[in-house]
């Protein structure tokens, strides 16, 4: 699946996005999680977007994972994903923070707040 | 005494007689001499005339006929003038002069080929170096594309990559025209990848529409990959160049009896009869190519195609007009250059258009392949949805050629089987968000009942999955913290 295994790739990356490199929404990060919306793909979708949608068929993927699967640079996948999100075919979520990073103080304050609500 | 005068008279008479005889002889001699002189003069005149004619003929040969004859191989419309005097043509002189012309033309042709071969060798060497350099540049650019994902930088990298592809194409075509190898060994690849790769090498690649009607997994043997990409690029380049910028160029990939056809249609002006004949002659590759015949600047596309079709046993036809009004170019790849690639193991490139054949139809044809009669060819019935027999009839000869069909992903089957379960699993976070939203709305409603302030609780409508608002993100964080089975599921689906 690596780029070099098949030798020089025949199809350059810019073809996947039609030469566009600026995603329509800037917030997609490398670890943003993409999830298919489950709606059937409309006709006339560009091949690369269809391929991405296909890859998301089996579950959620981060942008980097999708890029590796499609053998495209991350930047190209971000453009593709942004276009699909614009068409409501894919949902994106901010990167899942690693477990254990929740601030105990914050959780404590939330719990206190909930308790305070309950007692009101 | 008398005898003396007699003698004298006798002597005189004799003397007169001899004088007369001598005089007569002299006269005769003089007349003969005059006649001979006149004859000589006439002969000399004649000789001078012949010499003059000969000189004039040779001068004519040097001034008019030789240049014309020398120009004729390069410009076939130039007519070589005949001899100055028509009667020379049949004479030995005429034959000799013709031999001069023929000898010169032969030598000139040999010279031309030698010079062209030298020029080709020089160009081959130069383009080889350039091509290698451009490949190195391509590697560097693609490395950068993988490494950085800043949009502005990527935009520049994409542009540079495209420029590089175009330069590469030019260098490669020049090298191929000069008889060089295509310059790159590729491994077995999907045919649609080769076509899409060729498309990417052109300025107007946006205008190309590729329709892939091949069974998935139809590949090219390794040595045919790059030639097919080059040929498709050149055919597409011609099509794009000779059609209006707002029209599309349509490419169809289809199975035919002995292989696969790549059809390129443009909606341009088309070619005249002469142009078409010349193009067909060039792409057939039956005649050796001379750089000097390709014009200035040299138009190498067709010549390169000709070289490749000859070397790699491909065939290209540009002789028919397109139904769109322009030119229809058909590249035929015979079965012995085709191979099968497992699309699950090595899927085609993401940008390559997927096959229009649906999984179910392929499976149907695969099932009925066994009993399919190889005699019927249902060519026209390919697009009938329910005509599996006709489809298999169409497939049968190709299958006999060793092309089993496999699908990359049976999406339809998967969707039919376990859509509900998969969907609920995938949707979990949004559902959780919606449920929490509902909780929040409920709380707000209860509060509003208490203090009669509606607030903005109505924004959190149950079921509205708005994943990227700040509130929803917060809810999700809480949901992730609370709902353990959901996070398990997340771990499962995120792979």
């Amino acid at each position: 699946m690596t780029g070099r295994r098949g030798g020089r790739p025949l199809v350059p990356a810019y073809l996947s996005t039609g030469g566009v490199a600026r995603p329509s929404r800037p917030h997609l990060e490398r670890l943003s999680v993409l999830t298919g919306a489950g709606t059937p793909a409309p006709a006339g979708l560009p091949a690369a977007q269809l391929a991405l949608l296909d890859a998301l068929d089996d579950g959620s993927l981060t942008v980097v994972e999708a890029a590796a699967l499609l053998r495209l640079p991350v930047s190209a996948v971000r453009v593709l994903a942004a276009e699909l999100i614009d068409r409501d075919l894919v949902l994106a979520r901010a990167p899942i923070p690693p477990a254990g990073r929740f601030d105990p103080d914050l959780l404590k304050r939330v719990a206190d707040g909930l308790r305070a609500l309950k007692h009101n | 005494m008398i005898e003396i005068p007699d003698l004298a008279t006798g002597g005189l008479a004799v003397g007169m007689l001899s004088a007369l005889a001598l005089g007569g002889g002299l006269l005769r001699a003089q007349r003969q001499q005059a006649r001979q002189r006149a004859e000589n003069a006439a002969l000399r005149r004649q000789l001078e005339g012949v010499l003059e004619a000969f000189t004039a003929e040779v001068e004519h040969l040097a001034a008019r006929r030789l240049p014309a004859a020398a120009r004729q191989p390069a410009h076939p419309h130039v007519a070589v003038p005949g001899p100055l005097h028509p009667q020379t043509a049949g004479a030995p002189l005429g034959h000799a002069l013709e031999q001069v012309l023929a000898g010169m033309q032969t030598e000139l042709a040999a010279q031309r080929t030698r010079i062209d071969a030298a020029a080709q060798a020089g160009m081959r060497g130069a383009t080889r170096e350039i091509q290698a350099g451009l490949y190195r540049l391509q590697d560097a650019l693609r490395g950068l594309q993988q490494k950085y994902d800043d949009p502005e930088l990527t935009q520049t990298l994409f542009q540079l990559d495209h420029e590089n592809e175009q330069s590469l194409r030019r260098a490669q075509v020049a090298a191929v025209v000069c008889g060089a190898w295509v310059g790159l060994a590729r491994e077995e690849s999907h045919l649609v990848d080769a076509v899409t790769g060729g498309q990417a090498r052109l300025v107007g690649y946006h205008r190309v529409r590729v329709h892939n009607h091949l069974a998935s997994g139809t590949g090219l043997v390794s040595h045919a990959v790059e030639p097919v990409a080059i040929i498709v690029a050149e055919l597409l380049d011609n099509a794009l160049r000779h059609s209006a910028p707002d029209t599309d160029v349509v490419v169809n990939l289809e199975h035919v009896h002995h292989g696969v056809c790549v059809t390129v249609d443009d909606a341009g002006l088309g070619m005249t009869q002469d142009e078409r004949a010349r193009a067909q002659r060039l792409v057939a590759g039956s005649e050796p190519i001379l750089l000097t015949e390709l014009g200035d600047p040299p138009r190498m596309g067709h010549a390169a195609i000709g070289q490749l079709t000859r070397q790699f046993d491909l065939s290209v036809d540009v002789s028919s007009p397109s139904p769109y009004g322009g030119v229809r170019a058909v590249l035929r790849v015979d079965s012995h250059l085709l191979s099968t690639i497992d699309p699950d193991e090595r899927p085609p490139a993401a940008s390559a258009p997927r096959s229009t054949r649906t999984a179910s139809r392929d499976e149907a044809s695969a099932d009925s392949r066994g009993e399919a009669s190889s005699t019927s060819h249902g060519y026209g019935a390919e697009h009938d949805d329910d005509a599996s027999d006709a489809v298999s009839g169409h497939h049968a000869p190709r299958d006999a050629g060793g092309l089993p069909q496999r699908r990359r992903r049976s999406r339809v089957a998967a969707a039919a089987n376990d859509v509900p379960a998969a969907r609920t699993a995938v949707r979990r976070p949004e559902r959780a968000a919606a449920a929490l939203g509902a909780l929040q709305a409920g709380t707000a409603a209860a509060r509003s009942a208490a203090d009669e302030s509606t607030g903005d609780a109505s924004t959190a409508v149950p079921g509205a999955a708005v994943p990227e608002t700040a509130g929803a993100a917060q809810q999700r964080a809480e949901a992730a913290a609370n709902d353990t089975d959901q996070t398990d599921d997340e771990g499962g689906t995120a792979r």
Side-chain angles (χ1 to χ4, degrees):
Chain A
M1 274 291 174
T2 58
R4 296 300 305 173
R5 192 196 69 91
R8 194 177 297 275
L10 256 170
V11 186
Y14 58 82
L15 198 77
S16 63
T17 63
V20 181
R22 301 184 185 93
S24 55
R25 36 184 69 216
H27 66 258
L28 278 173
E29 292 171 38
R30 283 194 161 220
L31 288 177
S32 292
V33 180
L34 305 173
T35 310
T39 44
L45 212 58
Q49 293 185 21
L50 213 55
L52 177 57
L53 215 53
D54 230 19
L56 295 177
D57 223 27
D58 303 336
S60 303
L61 286 177
T62 61
V63 172
V64 186
E65 286 170 325
L69 209 61
L70 300 184
R71 288 166 299 158
L72 288 174
V74 171
S75 42
V77 172
R78 279 165 66 181
V79 175
L80 296 175
E83 277 165 25
L84 287 174
I85 293 166
D86 286 346
R87 303 181 70 163
D88 290 331
L89 294 169
V90 161
L91 307 172
R93 285 190 287 108
I96 304 170
R101 205 183 271 178
F102 292 113
D103 185 5
D105 281 352
L106 175 71
L107 293 177
K108 201 160 183 294
R109 271 190 286 153
V110 171
D112 287 348
L114 286 174
R115 239 174 264 132
L117 274 176
K118 195 177 167 190
H119 290 307
N120 271 351
Chain B
M1 279 307 274
I2 292 167
E3 282 174 11
I4 294 166
D6 281 350
L7 266 176
T9 47
L12 269 173
V14 167
M16 263 187 53
L17 273 175
S18 61
L20 274 173
L22 277 173
L26 194 70
L27 265 176
R28 209 181 306 127
Q30 270 181 344
R31 214 173 295 141
Q32 201 173 355
Q33 213 174 354
R35 203 169 52 241
Q36 269 180 349
R37 208 176 293 131
E39 220 167 76
N40 270 351
L43 275 175
R44 194 172 295 130
R45 263 199 312 281
Q46 199 184 343
L47 187 68
E48 272 167 9
V50 166
L51 203 64
E52 225 166 69
F54 182 75
T55 315
E57 201 64 73
V58 172
E59 272 172 1
H60 177 64
L61 178 80
R64 312 293 299 274
R65 299 181 68 192
L66 272 179
R71 222 172 295 138
Q72 200 184 28
H75 307 278
H77 62 274
V78 174
V80 181
L84 209 53
H85 299 292
Q87 68 266 30
T88 322
L93 174 65
H95 291 306
L97 293 182
E98 287 300 328
Q99 275 171 17
V100 170
L101 285 183
M104 187 212 52
Q105 273 186 333
T106 314
E107 186 51 35
L108 217 57
Q111 198 77 2
R112 220 162 103 90
T113 319
R114 266 202 302 278
I115 292 173
D116 216 274
Q120 287 188 9
M123 201 145 133
R124 207 157 48 219
T127 49
R128 182 72 342 135
E129 296 294 319
I130 295 172
Q131 200 181 347
L134 292 177
Y135 278 132
R136 287 195 293 273
L137 184 58
Q138 190 181 59
D139 281 342
L141 285 172
R142 296 201 171 156
L144 287 174
Q145 280 176 22
Q146 293 289 346
K147 203 166 171 188
Y148 300 104
D149 38 330
D150 172 52
E152 296 304 318
L153 178 60
T154 309
Q155 190 74 60
T156 315
L157 288 176
F158 278 2
Q159 274 163 12
L160 290 176
D161 199 6
H162 189 203
E163 291 296 331
N164 190 50
E165 285 276 0
Q166 291 172 49
S167 315
L168 201 46
R169 176 174 78 84
R170 302 247 161 77
Q172 198 175 25
V173 162
V176 166
V177 167
C178 296
W181 175 60
V182 292
L184 188 64
R186 293 198 181 271
E187 65 170 13
E188 264 190 353
S189 305
H190 290 275
L191 195 136
V192 66
D193 275 4
V195 171
T196 322
Q199 174 197 355
R201 300 174 185 182
L202 304 167
V203 186
Y205 67 89
H206 295 102
R207 288 168 51 206
V208 179
R209 301 272 169 273
V210 180
H211 300 294
N212 176 11
H213 307 302
L214 301 177
S216 66
T218 306
L220 286 166
V221 296
S222 51
H223 68 270
V225 176
E226 194 61 21
V228 166
I230 295 173
I231 291 177
V232 169
E234 290 313 310
L235 292 178
L236 281 174
D237 183 51
N238 281 334
L240 289 168
R241 223 176 264 279
H242 296 105
S243 60
D246 54 346
T247 56
D248 281 348
V249 170
V250 183
V251 180
N252 281 294
L253 312 180
E254 281 155 317
H255 286 290
V256 292
H257 187 82
H258 286 303
V260 167
C261 267
V262 180
T263 314
V264 178
D265 279 308
D266 71 75
L269 289 171
M271 291 193 282
T272 62
Q273 199 65 43
D274 284 357
E275 286 170 332
R276 190 172 293 148
R278 180 183 145 81
Q280 185 59 49
R281 213 175 53 239
L282 277 174
V283 299
S286 44
E287 299 164 20
I289 292 164
L290 290 180
L291 282 182
T292 42
E293 281 180 355
L294 299 179
D296 182 22
R299 293 163 62 188
M300 297 195 169
H302 283 148
I305 294 173
Q307 288 274 25
L308 293 173
T309 50
R310 197 184 59 226
Q311 287 170 27
F312 293 94
D313 200 14
L314 296 156
S315 73
V316 171
D317 180 275
V318 289
S319 60
S320 54
S322 164
Y324 298 88
V327 177
R328 163 166 283 184
V330 183
L331 160 67
R332 205 182 73 225
V333 184
D334 281 345
S335 305
H336 68 274
L337 293 172
L338 296 175
S339 69
T340 312
I341 299 167
D342 184 355
D344 290 318
E345 201 177 300
R346 283 187 50 205
S351 332
R354 57 191 53 209
S355 172
T356 51
R357 290 168 189 248
T358 58
S360 56
R361 208 197 313 168
D362 256 24
E363 276 158 16
S365 69
D367 289 343
S368 56
R369 195 189 302 158
E371 66 262 23
S373 66
S374 59
T375 50
S376 72
H377 307 305
Y379 283 114
E382 193 185 355
H383 296 288
D384 286 357
D385 280 331
D386 54 348
S388 67
D389 282 343
V391 169
S392 61
H394 171 68
H395 286 185
R398 180 170 43 77
D399 294 330
L403 278 181
Q405 303 151 357
R406 292 173 80 164
R407 295 293 302 172
R408 180 187 170 198
R409 276 206 183 97
S410 51
R411 283 189 72 188
V412 177
N417 290 340
D418 51 5
V419 153
R423 284 294 153 230
T424 48
V426 169
R427 283 282 186 75
R428 274 275 174 89
E430 280 68 39
R431 278 202 173 181
L436 276 166
L439 177 67
Q440 204 177 37
T443 317
R447 277 191 192 168
S448 72
D451 59 12
E452 295 299 319
S453 99
T454 50
D456 58 350
S458 60
T459 53
V461 179
V466 187
E468 289 309 319
T469 61
Q474 181 73 30
Q475 289 160 16
R476 212 177 34 253
E478 288 169 13
N482 294 336
D483 194 351
T484 53
D485 76 84
Q486 179 207 324
T487 45
D488 285 346
D489 200 77
E490 192 62 49
T493 51
R495 286 195 290 197

